[in-house]
Amino acid sequence: MSEPILILCAHGTRDPAGQASVKAVGDRVHQRLGVEVRLAYVDVQEPTIDEVVLGIPESTEGIVAVVVPYLLAGGYHVHVDIANAVRDRPDVLAAPPLGPDPRLIAIVRDRIEQADVHPTATLVLAPAGSSDARSQADTERTLDQLRLAWDGPVRVGYAAGIEPTVAQAVEAARKFGEDDEDGDVAVVSYLLSPGFFQDKLGEAGADHVTAPLAPDERLIDIIADRYRDAAGA
């Protein structure tokens, strides 16, 4: 039996640069693992994760596909959308999302350095935002990891959906004097690709805004690990 198909399931975006970024990641995963990679989405774009799973013939001889969420935290899309898509398919497994993972913090640190952020700046970690408590718990774990890796204050501000917003977090940092002594305030993108949410980060009034996490070979490492662990490879 051939190696299971890797279904890389992203959120979806109307932004052409964001779409190209996800496709490039899928191509790189294929090059790395040598397995078939199919892209799927939970919102905005097609094909949907349901459509992609339904398009794979069923098998009683083993695992035919592994869904790797191209998402940074486990929330509704992971625990409902993807879980429902594979619920009646014992031959299709769902892996955990990419985060939390220390390698993501390493990428974040590189983006901070590339943005020339002062070593004592206040960081506002900026994920997309979710009302799902499981996603928020993953974000808190990521915040804890970033705090251990940074000398200055670290806050969270969400790009959409819930509060504090990125703009509110930046304002709070300035209100409490966390930008004193040349520290500045930096919005740290915790997003995978360019698009609507990344654009919103630049409107928050920070001194610096870092780039999204992709492209980066460490993302391919994480995706490969999620696939192998789920497939038992």
Side-chain angles (χ1 to χ4, degrees):
M1 186 174 178
S2 59
E3 293 293 322
I5 297 166
L6 192 158
I7 303 173
L8 189 65
C9 186
H11 181 274
T13 177
R14 295 182 179 86
D15 186 278
Q19 294 174 3
S21 176
V22 175
K23 183 180 183 304
V25 168
D27 291 344
R28 184 68 192 95
V29 171
H30 170 68
Q31 293 168 2
R32 169 76 72 85
L33 294 177
V35 302
E36 181 180 353
V37 176
R38 300 188 187 183
L39 300 182
Y41 304 92
V42 292
D43 200 3
V44 181
Q45 281 183 256
E46 295 181 345
T48 67
I49 182 59
D50 292 330
E51 292 169 339
V52 173
V53 171
L54 285 172
I56 297 175
E58 295 187 32
S59 173
T60 59
E61 298 181 0
I63 303 303
V64 296
V66 173
V67 181
V68 178
Y70 189 56
L71 302 164
L72 293 172
Y76 185 90
H77 293 313
V78 171
H79 297 289
V80 178
D81 291 330
I82 294 175
N84 285 346
V86 304
R87 180 180 55 195
D88 298 324
R89 291 292 300 270
D91 58 339
V92 180
L93 300 179
L98 304 190
D101 191 291
R103 289 168 289 189
L104 295 174
I105 299 302
I107 300 172
V108 165
R109 287 296 306 268
D110 285 352
R111 297 294 179 268
I112 293 168
E113 183 176 346
Q114 291 160 7
D116 197 27
V117 176
H118 192 278
T120 62
T122 294
L123 303 183
V124 176
L125 185 71
S130 171
S131 59
D132 191 296
R134 294 162 293 194
S135 177
Q136 293 174 23
D138 283 348
T139 297
E140 287 297 324
R141 289 173 60 194
T142 300
L143 269 172
D144 289 341
Q145 292 176 357
L146 184 56
R147 286 178 175 128
L148 290 173
W150 188 250
D151 291 334
V154 177
R155 292 176 169 267
V156 66
Y158 297 96
I162 58 174
E163 295 184 344
T165 66
V166 177
Q168 288 171 339
V170 171
E171 181 181 6
R174 297 201 190 285
K175 178 180 179 181
F176 289 102
E178 293 175 4
D179 57 341
D180 287 349
E181 299 180 4
D182 300 321
D184 294 338
V185 177
V187 169
V188 177
S189 175
Y190 196 58
L191 305 169
L192 287 165
S193 305
F196 176 76
F197 289 155
Q198 180 69 29
D199 292 343
K200 286 183 68 67
L201 304 189
E203 303 169 2
D207 301 293
H208 308 272
V209 178
T210 67
L213 304 189
D216 193 283
E217 198 65 17
R218 286 163 291 191
L219 290 174
I220 311 304
D221 295 340
I222 299 171
I223 293 167
D225 285 349
R226 298 292 185 267
Y227 170 81
R228 292 185 182 120
D229 289 347

